[in-house]
Amino acid sequence: PLDVILKAVAEIELDMVQLHGHEPIEWAKHIPVPSIRVFHVDEEGHGLTDITRPGAHHFVLLDAVPKSSANGLSGGTGTRVDLEIAKAVVEKGEVGGGETLPLILAGGLTPDSVKEILQTVRPWAVDVSGGVELKDRSAKDPARVEAFISAVRGL
């Protein structure tokens, strides 16, 4: 609920909030810190409604919805957003008043794939988790984290 988010922002002094579910788009206008809105994109490009709505969010994060998703949500599956869809979002990018919408790309990013993805899509930032985990997914693999950062910095 919005009141829980507002309480967390106040009590913990959050700098930013990520809305990762099906929260109403208007919530961001009530949250006193910048918000990241996650857009759950399927393989046909559905899930981008309101992505360029002025004032609705400060950043957008694209994450892929896997075919097996029962609730239409993304995250944690290693599924990659179609790069042409993500690239089109970055290229369109205008939210009004000449502002470019900062896009964060998530899903299926690994030390081996991130360079190509960055060169193709040109997002503002990337979000990685599973792509740098140990094979048993019990923790982050320091060597994979270092390789990921090196690949990003090598551009």
Side-chain angles (χ1 to χ4, degrees):
L2 180 59
D3 61 332
V4 172
I5 294 170
L6 296 175
K7 183 177 179 181
V9 169
E11 289 182 5
I12 304 170
E13 298 180 15
L14 296 175
D15 295 320
M16 191 174 289
V17 170
Q18 179 173 305
L19 301 173
H20 198 94
H22 293 299
E23 302 86 3
I25 200 86
E26 295 78 22
W27 280 18
K29 292 182 180 183
H30 302 286
I31 298 172
V33 295
S35 64
I36 301 170
R37 159 106 19 218
V38 176
F39 287 85
H40 311 277
V41 184
D42 67 18
E43 61 186 13
E44 288 89 34
H46 300 114
L48 298 173
T49 304
D50 291 325
I51 196 164
T52 59
R53 189 166 164 191
H57 32 265
H58 299 85
F59 303 89
V60 298
L61 188 149
L62 295 187
D63 201 356
V65 175
K67 287 182 182 182
S68 62
S69 176
N71 61 6
L73 297 179
S74 59
T77 65
T79 304
R80 186 191 296 185
V81 172
D82 180 289
L83 296 185
E84 291 305 313
I85 293 169
K87 183 178 176 183
V89 170
V90 170
E91 289 173 352
K92 187 173 180 180
E94 295 297 315
V95 294
E99 293 180 55
T100 300
L101 195 62
L103 181 117
I104 303 164
L105 188 61
L109 303 175
T110 67
D112 298 325
S113 69
V114 71
K115 183 176 180 179
E116 171 201 354
I117 291 168
L118 286 171
Q119 290 173 332
T120 302
V121 177
R122 311 297 295 168
W124 179 76
V126 291
D127 177 327
V128 66
S129 185
V132 294
E133 290 178 344
L134 295 167
K135 287 185 183 196
D136 67 4
R137 300 183 67 90
S138 63
K140 302 297 179 238
D141 179 343
R144 290 184 59 77
V145 171
E146 187 174 323
F148 187 91
I149 292 168
S150 293
V152 171
R153 288 185 174 161
L155 290 177

